[in-house]
Amino acid sequence: DQGRQYTSHKFRNELMTHRINQSMSRKGQCWDNAPMERFFGSLKSEWMPEGGYSSEQEARADLQQYVMRYNNTRLHSYNDYRSPVAMEKLAA
């Protein structure tokens, strides 16, 4: 998203202050970020508790479990119902 709020000097300076590298898709290329949008959409709709987490530690542990499940056991229709890891093994 290259919206005004993300390209403003104030926002970009704040990112630099915290040593955060900004990442945006190329102008007019909405598909550049599609894999990450899909990942985060699935994370929010399938996994995260409705009330959020009670601590950063709890969130980190739970998200680590989700990433492992997403990559190793969650079946993806785009991959002919294989996990990303299984699909990578086929490509190797």
Side-chain angles (χ1 to χ4, degrees):
D1 186 350
Q2 293 190 0
R4 192 176 348 172
Q5 68 273 31
Y6 301 115
T7 58
S8 72
H9 291 291
K10 184 177 179 180
F11 183 77
R12 294 177 75 178
N13 287 337
E14 189 67 23
L15 292 176
M16 286 192 316
T17 299
H18 297 283
R19 296 181 180 180
I20 297 172
N21 292 325
Q22 188 177 29
S23 173
M24 287 190 277
S25 59
R26 297 170 292 161
K27 198 171 199 169
Q29 300 295 320
C30 63
W31 299 110
D32 281 356
N33 206 28
M36 289 312 299
E37 292 287 344
R38 176 70 175 132
F39 171 81
F40 283 113
S42 297
L43 170 67
K44 291 175 186 176
S45 67
E46 296 174 3
W47 194 263
M48 290 179 69
E50 198 171 304
Y53 296 101
S54 59
S55 69
E56 180 180 339
Q57 183 178 356
E58 178 189 10
R60 284 180 181 269
D62 194 51
L63 295 176
Q64 180 67 36
Q65 281 185 317
Y66 181 73
V67 169
M68 295 302 291
R69 179 184 172 276
Y70 189 90
N71 286 329
N72 293 294
T73 61
R74 185 183 182 276
L75 305 180
H76 298 254
S77 59
Y78 184 81
N79 292 342
D80 292 326
Y81 295 94
R82 295 181 182 96
S83 71
V85 169
M87 200 64 186
E88 287 233 348
K89 287 179 181 176
L90 283 177

